[in-house]
Amino acid sequence: MKHLGKVFLFVLIVAFVIGGMAFAGGSKEGAAPAAAMSDSGFPPITHRPIVVGFSQIGSESEWRTADTASVQQSLKDDPDMQMIYSDAQQKQENQIAALRSFVARKVDVILFTALVETGYRPVLEEAKAAHIPVIMIDRDVAKEDQDLRLTIMGSDFIKEGQKAATWLADYLKKQGIDDGKKSIDIVELQGTTGSAPALERYKGFRDIMKDHPNWEITHSQTGDFTSTGGKQVMEAFLKADRNIQVLYAHNDQMALGAIQAIKEAGLKPGKDIIIVSIDGVKGIFQAIVNGESNCTVECNPLLGPQAVQAIHDLADGKKLPPRIWTIEGVYDASNAAAALPTRQY
Ligand code: AHR
């Protein structure tokens, strides 16, 4: 009898310990059970539809319009997805409010393009505390905040700046313009101050400039990635300096505005001033074909299919790579006309 009592006590203790462990690992509302975590650190998403909050920065360029349409269409076309969309209209405070509302609505995934690199840490911490995975699309946050997002898909902006400068070096050499000694005067239209593409395209171009000590950036200012900004700033550059040989624009939209300014100043864009920009929108392809611009480095905005695939992978419990790159080319007078009819943006 005494022995039976000991066995009973032992069974009771084991049941208590197991029960306690299950309680500790069990989920509070919204928290995931530890055992169900996938390699990405989030539990697989088993319900449908998967609710996706998409925070876009605005509609500053043709590129952005194509990007928004691609992501929205891909989400709409997928019966497993339900999208909540927010357009920040180029204001960071709007974007932070949108992210906060996604957290309050307990969306399953956040797709997020950061207007500028910094200033999002508190809201990203809120998303993390609510166990909502954040997938960056196109523009990333700064290095010190990247621990709060799961992955980034989009272009290598540093490489784009390097490609623009490499194309320029080759062109100047082939045209017999650069003897390596005479100064080459370059003006630069920067993108939105503090944004990832502006910071990285700035850097990438200068990486290559190190091999060309006679190149000089005589003026550099933001045109905010818009054609109005590009036109206004180029007008000011032209007033200050009539010897500009090259324009490097961080996007095509600003280059298109600058082309207007150059024409209005009585100069020939693409001839009197060599123009190299980034994106690959139809407008700049047409300008290259017309001889009014010289080169565009492609930056692919059609990120929708990749984004939807990543969400599916995440929902299936697969580990997402920390970086998902897009593949891009360089276009000038040698190949722009052939590519123009098939351009999608
Ligand atoms: O983030 C990508 C950049 O943003 C594109 O180059 C530009 O056109 C857009 O505004």
Side-chain angles (χ1 to χ4, degrees):
M1 197 61 198
K2 215 174 169 186
H3 176 70
L4 265 180
K6 271 187 186 161
V7 169
F8 179 71
L9 191 68
F10 177 74
V11 169
L12 207 70
I13 290 168
V14 168
F16 184 75
V17 169
I18 291 174
M21 274 165 53
F23 178 77
S27 62
K28 288 186 273 150
E29 207 209 304
M37 288 292 177
S38 73
D39 288 345
S40 284
F42 293 93
I45 304 167
T46 48
H47 59 262
R48 294 294 179 269
I50 298 170
V51 182
V52 181
F54 172 30
S55 169
Q56 180 59 287
I57 60 170
S59 50
E60 75 287 0
S61 59
E62 283 175 60
W63 189 99
R64 185 66 53 202
T65 307
D67 175 54
T68 305
S70 168
V71 177
Q72 287 185 332
Q73 200 55 51
S74 303
L75 287 168
K76 277 185 196 151
D77 287 349
D78 192 318
D80 284 346
M81 306 283 161
Q82 184 188 319
M83 177 185 66
I84 305 175
Y85 178 68
S86 173
D87 174 351
Q89 299 182 344
Q90 301 292 325
K91 291 201 174 77
Q92 188 177 35
E93 61 270 28
N94 291 350
Q95 199 162 34
I96 292 171
L99 294 171
R100 203 154 269 146
S101 88
F102 293 158
V103 173
R105 292 171 77 166
K106 294 187 166 65
V107 300
D108 296 304
V109 180
I110 290 176
L111 274 187
F112 170 36
T113 299
L115 177 64
V116 292
E117 282 195 340
T118 55
Y120 297 99
R121 191 158 186 97
V123 75
L124 290 177
E125 274 166 349
E126 288 165 35
K128 189 178 181 181
H131 304 282
I132 301 172
V134 176
I135 297 177
M136 304 305 297
I137 183 155
D138 168 34
R139 295 191 192 174
D140 208 350
V141 287
K143 241 190 188 67
E144 60 270 23
D145 296 332
Q146 290 174 2
D147 57 315
L148 295 171
R149 51 82 165 149
L150 191 56
T151 185
I152 161 87
M153 67 187 58
S155 308
D156 185 335
F157 300 134
I158 294 184
K159 204 175 264 172
E160 287 170 353
Q162 291 171 345
K163 281 182 188 171
T166 303
W167 177 88
L168 181 64
D170 194 45
Y171 185 78
L172 292 174
K173 201 168 164 203
K174 278 191 193 141
Q175 298 294 312
I177 299 170
D178 190 359
D179 61 4
K181 293 183 196 83
K182 266 194 303 8
S183 153
I184 300 289
D185 287 6
I186 303 170
V187 294
E188 178 182 39
L189 284 169
Q190 295 182 32
T192 301
T193 306
S195 68
L199 293 164
E200 295 179 6
R201 288 170 185 169
Y202 178 100
K203 180 186 181 306
F205 197 86
R206 283 160 181 78
D207 288 345
I208 304 300
M209 274 185 78
K210 285 180 194 139
D211 302 332
H212 304 276
N214 58 320
W215 290 14
E216 196 192 338
I217 299 201
T218 54
H219 300 275
S220 178
Q221 203 179 306
T222 181
D224 211 14
F225 280 133
T226 65
S227 83
T228 320
K231 182 167 187 283
Q232 282 170 357
V233 177
M234 192 67 200
E235 280 166 0
F237 287 168
L238 287 163
K239 273 192 195 123
D241 182 356
R242 292 297 284 188
N243 296 318
I244 299 167
Q245 288 167 282
V246 177
L247 164 64
Y248 165 46
H250 287 192
N251 81 345
D252 293 343
Q253 206 69 47
M254 292 189 292
L256 289 167
I259 288 171
Q260 276 305 114
I262 295 168
K263 283 191 197 168
E264 285 171 19
L267 296 169
K268 289 196 182 78
K271 295 184 182 70
D272 296 328
I273 297 180
I274 298 159
I275 301 173
V276 53
S277 56
I278 296 170
D279 272 359
V281 301
K282 274 186 190 160
I284 209 77
F285 267 75
Q286 195 57 62
I288 294 174
V289 171
N290 297 346
E292 293 188 335
S293 191
N294 305 88
C295 173
T296 184
V297 174
E298 189 178 36
C299 175
N300 186 0
L302 308 176
L303 300 171
Q306 261 180 314
V308 168
Q309 185 57 51
I311 296 169
H312 272 295
D313 288 348
L314 178 70
D316 293 346
K318 291 186 195 154
K319 187 171 169 58
L320 298 185
R323 177 98 226 192
I324 304 168
W325 297 112
T326 45
I327 297 162
E328 291 150 345
V330 175
Y331 296 88
D332 62 11
S334 67
N335 55 357
L340 181 55
T342 56
R343 294 302 292 172
Q344 289 180 61
Y345 61 97

